[in-house]
């Protein structure tokens, strides 16, 4: 091989390596085709240590295995990469594109209209306009928040509970109003004090979240629901550690982030809803919206899961509290207790 030919070969290999590096946000553990359906998951942010997104990855991997298919994960970092990853996924024409989070609403609506043959599974939100090729899976977070509130009421020594929430909007009031209702149900007379982060960057303001949680502690609140996003909840947990009160996490098990201070978590089982949604789409049902709560297994508390003993959650050491909360869960599932959705009021 001549030096010039060798140089060209090296350049070609380098170009391929550079192209692969540019798509470093995509994971493809199942690169070889199996003849089954191809699934693509797009996340709104890097998976990293985000347990909520880890469950989504597990859901896609489980579906791919169940249907003898393949799967890829495209991890976004910002609004621009969300658009880019969604467009790249559409070009691959998989059987199902799965997107997690309200951040995708506009982008999915645009792609669904341009690509009517492409099937989408939209988790944790839905498009404003329905599309026959967009299946939505939404959560009844208020049911889990009610149970967490019941735990807070039973654990509270002051009779005062609070919530630090990203925005004072109907969707996010699901993490405040039911928390107070559950606490009052478990211990009549318990009161709720909610505070909202707001501002220019409510989803990434741990300092503001910490300050609000500290304010609540100064008012005698000893149980605080943290619905301040993954970043904001770290501020709530830090305040809990310094102030000696208990905090509650959302979406996934956040107890390991602050052992001894996080009592429990309202968990969204993205793995469950993705598996269910993919099954429905591959089975010929598309365009529906399904709501997941306690009954469907889409919402739960870490303390009520089989792995509670190793969760590092405070409530895991209070079987008396878990027994009472388990009874309330069963009553919600049976319909004996109906938790009103603040987003619909």
């Amino acid at each position: 091989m001549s030096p010039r030919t060798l140089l060209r070969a090296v350049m070609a290999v380098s170009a391929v390596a550079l192209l692969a590096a540019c798509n470093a946000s995509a994971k493809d553990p199942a690169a070889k085709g199996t003849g089954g359906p191809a699934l693509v998951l797009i996340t709104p942010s890097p998976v990293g240590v985000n347990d909520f997104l880890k469950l989504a990855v597990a859901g896609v991997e489980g579906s791919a295995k169940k249907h003898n298919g393949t799967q890829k994960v495209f991890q976004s970092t910002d609004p621009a990469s969300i658009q880019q990853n969604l467009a790249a996924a559409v070009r691959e024409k998989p059987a199902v594109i799965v997107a997690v989070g309200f951040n995708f609403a506009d982008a999915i609506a645009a792609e669904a209209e341009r690509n009517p043959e492409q099937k989408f599974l939209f988790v944790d939100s839905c498009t404003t306009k329905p599309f026959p090729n967009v299946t939505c899976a939404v959560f009844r977070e208020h049911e889990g928040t009610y149970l967490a509130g019941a735990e807070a009421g039973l654990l509270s020594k002051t009779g005062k509970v609070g919530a630090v929430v990203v925005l004072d909007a109907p969707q996010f009031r699901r993490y405040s109003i039911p928390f107070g209702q559950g606490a009052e149900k478990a211990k009549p007379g318990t009161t709720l004090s909610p505070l909202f982060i707001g501002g220019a960057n409510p989803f990434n303001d741990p300092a503001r979240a910490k300050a609000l949680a500290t304010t609540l502690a100064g008012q005698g609140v000893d149980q605080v629901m943290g619905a301040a996003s993954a970043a904001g909840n770290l501020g709530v947990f830090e305040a809990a550690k310094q102030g000696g009160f208990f905090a509650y996490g959302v979406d996934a098990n956040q107890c390991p982030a602050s052992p001894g201070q996080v009592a429990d978590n309202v968990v969204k089982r993205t793995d469950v809803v993705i598996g269910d949604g993919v099954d429905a789409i591959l089975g010929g049902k598309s365009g529906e919206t399904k709501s997941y709560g306690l009954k469907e297994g889409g919402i739960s508390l870490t303390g009520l899961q089989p792995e509670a003993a190793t969760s590092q959650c405070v409530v895991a050491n209070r079987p008396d509290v878990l027994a009472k909360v388990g009874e309330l869960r069963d009553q919600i599932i049976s319909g004996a207790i109906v938790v009103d959705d603040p987003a619909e009021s």
Side-chain angles (χ1 to χ4, degrees):
M1 182 180 291
S2 69
R4 179 174 295 180
T5 302
L6 179 60
L7 178 61
R8 287 176 177 172
V10 171
M11 291 176 66
V13 172
S14 299
V16 171
L18 179 61
L19 180 61
C22 289
N23 195 30
S25 64
K27 290 184 177 180
D28 187 9
K32 295 182 180 180
T34 61
L39 309 176
V40 175
L41 167 68
I42 308 173
T43 67
S45 57
V47 176
V49 296
N50 187 322
D51 287 334
F52 178 65
L53 296 180
K54 282 183 179 180
L55 283 176
V57 173
V60 169
E61 290 177 345
S63 290
K65 183 177 181 180
K66 177 179 180 179
H67 295 282
N68 195 32
T70 61
Q71 55 85 23
K72 289 184 178 181
V73 180
F74 286 78
Q75 302 182 55
S76 308
T77 56
D78 52 36
S81 63
I82 285 177
Q83 299 269 1
Q84 294 165 1
N85 283 337
L86 190 56
V90 169
R91 286 195 295 271
E92 295 199 8
K93 298 181 179 180
V96 184
I97 294 174
V98 183
V100 181
F102 67 92
N103 322 59
F104 287 92
D106 294 338
I108 284 184
E111 291 292 351
E113 193 160 18
R114 283 194 294 263
N115 303 277
E117 299 303 315
Q118 177 63 59
K119 298 296 190 294
F120 298 87
L121 174 59
F122 192 9
V123 178
D124 204 18
S125 190
C126 198
T127 54
T128 302
K129 172 186 174 182
F131 293 91
N133 56 332
V134 177
T135 299
C136 297
V138 297
F139 294 97
R140 299 195 299 277
E141 298 97 338
H142 49 289
E143 294 181 353
T145 303
Y146 183 93
L147 292 183
E151 288 180 334
L154 293 169
L155 292 173
S156 178
K157 296 180 179 179
T158 65
K160 296 180 180 180
V161 304
V164 174
V165 186
V166 286
L167 293 169
D168 187 7
Q171 176 183 354
F172 300 107
R173 291 190 201 114
R174 288 174 170 173
Y175 293 103
S176 57
I177 296 174
F179 191 69
Q181 292 172 337
E184 208 279 334
K185 173 69 174 179
K187 186 178 291 184
T190 303
T191 59
L192 169 73
S193 297
L195 294 176
F196 302 89
I197 296 174
N201 196 15
F203 292 92
N204 189 24
D205 197 343
R208 170 75 169 158
K210 179 180 178 180
L212 293 178
T214 301
T215 296
L216 290 174
Q219 298 171 355
V221 171
D222 64 352
Q223 312 285 322
V224 177
M225 164 58 72
S229 79
N233 267 9
L234 294 179
V236 174
F237 300 159
E238 187 175 346
K241 186 175 183 179
Q242 294 177 0
F245 60 86
F246 290 140
Y248 296 75
V250 294
D251 293 347
N253 179 19
Q254 295 188 299
C255 295
S258 189
Q261 299 303 145
V262 183
D264 208 340
N265 312 273
V266 179
V267 178
K268 294 181 183 179
R269 294 297 303 272
T270 45
D271 54 338
V272 171
V273 304
I274 287 175
D276 192 30
V278 169
D279 285 351
I281 293 171
L282 296 181
K285 294 182 180 179
S286 180
E288 299 180 346
T289 296
K290 185 172 179 179
S291 174
Y292 291 83
L294 296 172
K295 184 176 182 179
E296 297 79 11
I299 291 289
S300 186
L301 297 182
T302 302
L304 296 177
Q305 294 294 297
E307 63 274 15
T310 59
S311 66
Q312 300 185 56
C313 295
V314 171
V315 76
N317 298 317
R318 292 295 304 270
D320 56 326
V321 171
L322 290 176
K324 293 178 181 177
V325 172
E327 292 174 1
L328 291 175
R329 173 201 57 195
D330 295 343
Q331 291 178 53
I332 293 173
I333 290 175
S334 71
I337 294 177
V338 176
V339 184
D340 294 330
D341 184 356
E344 295 181 353
S345 59

